[in-house]
């Protein structure tokens, strides 16, 4: 009888379930695009072709760091209604916050360079278009998409791009023999082979990217959760983590697949990849023309989608200097986007070695990253900024330890370079 009464009852409270999580998927996947951009391709294929599976642990470590940091910066956007750039200008001394934000603008140029360059390399693979012309075409296409589409449309397009890229690598992995036991061990056991430090740093810089921290806070705060009351904030904080965790794991799988493909295809044949076009050309005789074409198409999608998010991040960072949110119709956001993409495009015309340019761009990001991370953690650990949603002491300690790890790795890199 009680069961029948319950069935007739129409006033059951709604409890969010597995499928409700999909309503919150979007911001994380938008950020994931930066996690699988052409700079990652260059770093991962260099790592896999030269050191086999040995550097898979860097992707795992970077992903753990990324989940913690992206989750934390999303909290800043949800609770305060400010992006990281706006919060830095509002809550930190002028001599602290503004220089870090300006350095982030410079880092966004390095990011955009890698994204545009990757798309141009893909166009050269597919259609034989020169790198400068391809870079110009990618930039024009991205500017059109950015200035004619809303967040929601871009989110849907990016989700489609990420899905295609992921399926492409699943197909590629079916064509090669992977030693899964050795790969699993290498994914969790750190090792630093002789001469691999530059690659380790470029992989780290390619995964944990400063512009993504700014972008995630921007996209999440655009939903204005902070204006909808405490219950809505707590609700969003809970399900934001599901979005971040899912999205970052997708990125981890795709990045790991790149290293696995390079290790199983190039490393086993004694071939060191120092050019993505070379990697594409070598895939054809080893795995067939389909593998080569799919590789190039996936790279093109990665280049276009990551340039979109890079442009959005640049617009957000620059407009935050003027205490404004990202808005494609606002002059500050427009200047930020054009500045980042325009300077990056100009630099590409003077790059002699595109692949090396990708690697170095990722190292530049890793050098700026500690400043952004320390800024972010200081804000989310401040009760003045976050109120009752401030970081717990253990979380603050953990996040500062991540910032410390990044800093130590950078000092290690600089000392090694000077030695």
């Amino acid at each position: 009888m009680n069961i029948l009464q319950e069935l007739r009852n129409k006033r059951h409270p709604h409890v969010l379930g597995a499928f409700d999580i999909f309503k919150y998927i979007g911001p994380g996947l938008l950020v994931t695009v930066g996690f699988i951009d052409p700079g990652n391709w260059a770093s991962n294929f260099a790592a896999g072709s030269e050191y086999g599976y040995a550097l898979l642990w860097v992707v795992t470590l970077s992903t753990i760091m990324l989940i913690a940091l992206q989750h934390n910066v999303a909290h800043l956007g949800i609770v305060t209604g400010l992006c990281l750039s706006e919060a830095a200008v509002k809550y930190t001394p002028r001599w602290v916050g503004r220089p870090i934000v300006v350095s982030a603008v410079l880092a966004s140029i390095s990011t955009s360079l890698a994204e545009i360059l990757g798309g141009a390399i893909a166009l050269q693979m597919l259609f034989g278009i020169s790198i400068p012309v391809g870079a110009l075409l990618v930039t024009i296409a991205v500017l059109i998409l950015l200035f004619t589409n809303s967040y929601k449309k871009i989110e849907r397009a990016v989700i489609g791009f990420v899905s295609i890229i992921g399926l492409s690598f699943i197909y590629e992995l079916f064509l090669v023999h992977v030693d899964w036991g050795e790969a699993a061990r290498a994914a969790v056991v750190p090792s630093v082979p002789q001469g691999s430090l530059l690659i380790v740093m470029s992989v780290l810089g390619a995964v944990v990217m400063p512009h993504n921290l700014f972008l995630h806070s921007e996209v999440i705060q655009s939903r204005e959760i902070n204006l909808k009351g405490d219950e809505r904030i707590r609700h969003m904080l809970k399900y934001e983590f599901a979005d971040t965790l899912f999205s970052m794991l997708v990125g981890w799988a795709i990045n790991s697949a790149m290293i696995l493909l390079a290790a199983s295809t190039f490393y086993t044949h004694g071939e060191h990849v120092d050019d993505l076009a070379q990697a594409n050309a070598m895939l054809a005789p080893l795995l067939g023309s389909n593998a080569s074409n799919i590789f190039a198409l996936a790279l093109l999608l990665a280049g276009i989608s990551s340039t979109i998010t890079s442009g959005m991040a640049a617009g957000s960072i620059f407009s935050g200097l003027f205490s404004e949110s990202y808005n494609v119709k606002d002059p500050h956001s427009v200047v930020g986007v054009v500045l980042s993409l325009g300077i990056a495009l100009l630099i590409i015309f003077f790059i002699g070695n595109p692949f090396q340019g990708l690697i170095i761009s990722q190292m530049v990001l890793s050098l700026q990253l500690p400043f952004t991370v320390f800024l972010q953690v200081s804000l989310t650990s401040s009760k003045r900024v976050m109120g009752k949603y401030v970081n717990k002491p253990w979380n603050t300690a953990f996040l500062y330890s991540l910032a410390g790890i990044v800093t130590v790795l950078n000092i290690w890199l600089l000392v090694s370079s000077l030695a």
Side-chain angles (χ1 to χ4, degrees):
M1 182 63 68
N2 288 337
I3 294 176
L4 293 175
Q5 288 176 348
E6 285 298 308
L7 289 173
R8 286 194 293 267
N9 182 10
K10 298 181 180 179
R11 295 191 300 273
H12 292 112
H14 176 64
V15 178
L16 284 170
F19 287 106
D20 292 290
I21 290 174
F22 287 102
K23 292 190 290 188
Y24 301 91
I25 299 296
L29 282 174
L30 203 61
V31 171
T32 298
V33 168
F35 187 9
I36 55 174
D37 75 329
N40 289 72
W41 288 55
S43 299
N44 291 331
F45 274 87
S49 66
E50 188 163 351
Y51 302 106
Y53 303 133
L55 299 183
L56 277 169
W57 67 272
V58 183
V59 177
T60 303
L61 173 64
S62 300
T63 304
I64 293 170
M65 295 170 64
L66 190 64
I67 291 170
L69 293 171
Q70 296 292 165
H71 178 54
N72 181 249
V73 82
H75 276 204
L76 175 71
I78 292 170
V79 172
T80 66
L82 301 171
C83 70
L84 181 54
S85 181
E86 290 175 279
V89 170
K90 181 176 181 178
Y91 290 110
T92 63
R94 189 181 184 90
W95 62 272
V96 174
R98 288 183 180 272
I100 294 176
V101 174
V102 170
S103 72
V105 172
L106 298 177
S108 80
I109 294 171
S110 182
T111 304
S112 296
L113 185 150
E115 325 301 36
I116 296 170
L117 196 52
I121 291 170
L123 286 175
Q124 186 179 60
M125 293 175 185
L126 290 167
F127 307 111
I129 298 172
S130 69
I131 294 294
V133 173
L136 181 61
L137 291 175
V138 169
T139 304
I140 292 172
V142 167
L143 287 173
I144 292 172
L145 288 169
L146 278 173
F147 294 139
T148 58
N149 279 303
S150 66
Y151 270 133
K152 287 297 181 184
K153 290 180 181 178
I154 289 177
E155 279 182 10
R156 287 194 292 269
V158 165
I159 289 171
F161 286 159
V162 172
S163 300
I164 294 172
I165 294 167
L167 290 172
S168 299
F169 277 102
I170 290 174
Y171 171 81
E172 302 272 9
L173 286 179
F174 271 114
L175 302 178
V176 299
H177 171 72
V178 178
D179 184 342
W180 292 105
E182 176 60 22
R185 188 199 66 79
V188 295
V189 178
S191 67
V192 183
Q194 178 99 15
S196 66
L197 186 58
L198 175 60
I199 300 296
V200 168
M201 288 302 300
S202 67
V203 171
L204 178 66
V207 173
V208 187
M209 305 171 79
H211 84 286
N212 267 347
L213 297 171
F214 285 92
L215 178 63
H216 203 166
S217 63
E218 174 64 54
V219 176
I220 205 84
Q221 70 83 23
S222 70
R223 301 188 174 192
E224 299 183 329
I225 304 298
N226 64 303
L227 302 180
K228 300 175 183 178
D230 280 349
E231 184 178 349
R232 180 63 174 165
I233 289 175
R234 287 194 298 270
H235 177 82
M236 190 62 187
L237 289 175
K238 179 181 178 182
Y239 282 91
E240 173 278 324
F241 180 69
D243 173 40
T244 299
L245 181 63
F246 170 78
S247 302
M248 298 307 107
L249 288 177
V250 168
W252 169 81
I254 293 176
N255 275 278
S256 297
M258 292 181 196
I259 293 181
L260 290 172
L261 179 63
S264 303
T265 307
F266 306 124
Y267 181 74
T268 56
H269 288 82
E271 299 284 353
H272 171 57
V273 174
D274 56 9
D275 188 332
L276 285 178
Q278 170 202 3
N280 184 62
M282 289 166 62
L283 278 176
L286 292 172
L287 303 179
S289 59
N290 284 343
S292 176
N293 292 333
I294 289 173
F295 177 92
L297 178 60
L299 178 60
L300 178 61
L301 293 176
I304 291 174
S305 55
S306 59
T307 306
I308 290 172
T309 59
S310 173
M312 291 173 64
S316 169
I317 296 167
F318 191 81
S319 60
L321 282 169
F322 303 91
S323 301
E324 293 180 355
S325 297
Y326 173 79
N327 185 336
V328 290
K329 296 181 181 179
D330 181 82
H332 295 123
S333 296
V334 172
V335 169
V337 172
V338 173
L339 193 68
S340 179
L341 300 187
I343 294 177
L345 178 63
L346 186 64
I347 293 172
I348 288 172
F349 281 92
F350 298 95
I351 289 179
N353 186 333
F355 186 84
Q356 194 64 20
L358 289 175
I359 295 289
I360 292 174
S361 73
Q362 302 311 295
M363 191 178 69
V364 170
L365 297 182
S366 72
L367 293 174
Q368 197 283 335
L369 184 60
F371 299 100
T372 294
V373 175
F374 276 111
L375 170 67
Q376 169 190 320
V377 179
S378 69
L379 289 169
T380 56
S381 300
S382 168
K383 195 160 188 179
R384 182 168 73 99
V385 178
M386 300 292 287
K388 62 185 177 182
Y389 299 104
V390 66
N391 292 336
K392 298 284 191 276
W394 67 266
N395 195 25
T396 296
F398 174 64
L399 292 167
Y400 273 127
S401 71
L402 294 184
I405 290 171
V406 173
T407 303
V408 168
L409 286 173
N410 278 290
I411 293 173
W412 185 12
L413 174 64
L414 289 174
V415 172
S416 300
S417 300
L418 294 173

